[in-house]
Amino acid sequence: MTRKFDGTRILIATHNAGKLEEMQQLFAPHGVEVVGAAELNLSEPEETETTFIGNARIKARAAVMATGLPALADDSGIEVEALDDAPGVYTADWAETPDGRDFVMAMTKTHNKLEEAGAAHPRSARFRATLVLAWPDGHEEVFDGRVNGTLVWPIRGAIGHGYDPMFQPDGYAITFAEMDPAEKNRVSHRADAFRKLIAGCFG
């Protein structure tokens, strides 16, 4: 039996403005005030695990310890079948530059690796997200979400973030970056995990 959330304020343990905005929209119907890690000037903990759940736990626990608030953290990434599910946990690392993250560079790197590997079309991939909700008393709930699709090239669309311009979800002829944000928030990997979170802890 999952623990029900009975507070009015939840800390989203992310410095990513796109993710925070997505979470604010997803939480809006549930009457919970959402605050981001950047607002509270929290430092970003080093993500040293090799799994989505491991890194989400690091972020959630660090946020709880720093603030005493219940914290929700997510770790997410894209797994490309022809690249043995890379970049996966290292999705953001592939975008790192001395001047911040460059996802166009990361998507180009992914495309080039697929070309070098002679990967057949369609090039299957999935976005995965793991949510960890941590309470100050140490209790945690974990929820996994995913969405399957294919990679496109050249990239398309200007909405969204990360690998969205390269990812076309199954059942659609457009990429996440061409999709209305409300529609993406309905079908995304994070939405899948979030539905499970709401059913488990807020339902």
Side-chain angles (χ1 to χ4, degrees), residues 4-50:
K4 297 298 180 185
F5 186 88
D6 58 3
T8 58
R9 197 170 189 229
I10 192 166
L11 171 60
I12 307 300
T14 184
H15 288 72
N16 181 314
K19 277 188 189 179
L20 181 63
E21 187 179 347
E22 212 172 297
M23 287 292 186
Q24 286 170 330
Q25 290 171 3
L26 290 167
F27 267 116
H30 302 284
V32 177
E33 182 192 352
V34 168
V35 60
E39 278 179 71
L40 301 181
N41 296 315
L42 300 186
S43 59
E44 292 189 75
E46 192 177 348
E47 297 174 31
T48 54
E49 294 294 317
T50 57

Side-chain angles (χ1 to χ4, degrees), residues 142-201:
V142 179
F143 304 92
D144 287 301
R146 64 178 56 205
V147 58
N148 295 316
T150 54
L151 299 184
V152 303
W153 197 262
I155 59 176
R156 304 198 310 259
I159 311 167
H161 50 90
Y163 271 76
D164 286 357
M166 194 180 189
F167 184 82
Q168 184 171 299
D170 286 351
Y172 290 83
I174 56 175
T175 67
F176 267 172
E178 296 174 297
M179 193 177 285
D180 178 86
E183 178 67 5
K184 182 197 162 186
N185 285 346
R186 194 178 66 79
V187 301
S188 75
H189 49 309
R190 203 165 287 113
D192 183 32
F194 196 82
R195 270 190 293 274
K196 296 169 186 173
L197 165 75
I198 292 299
C201 297

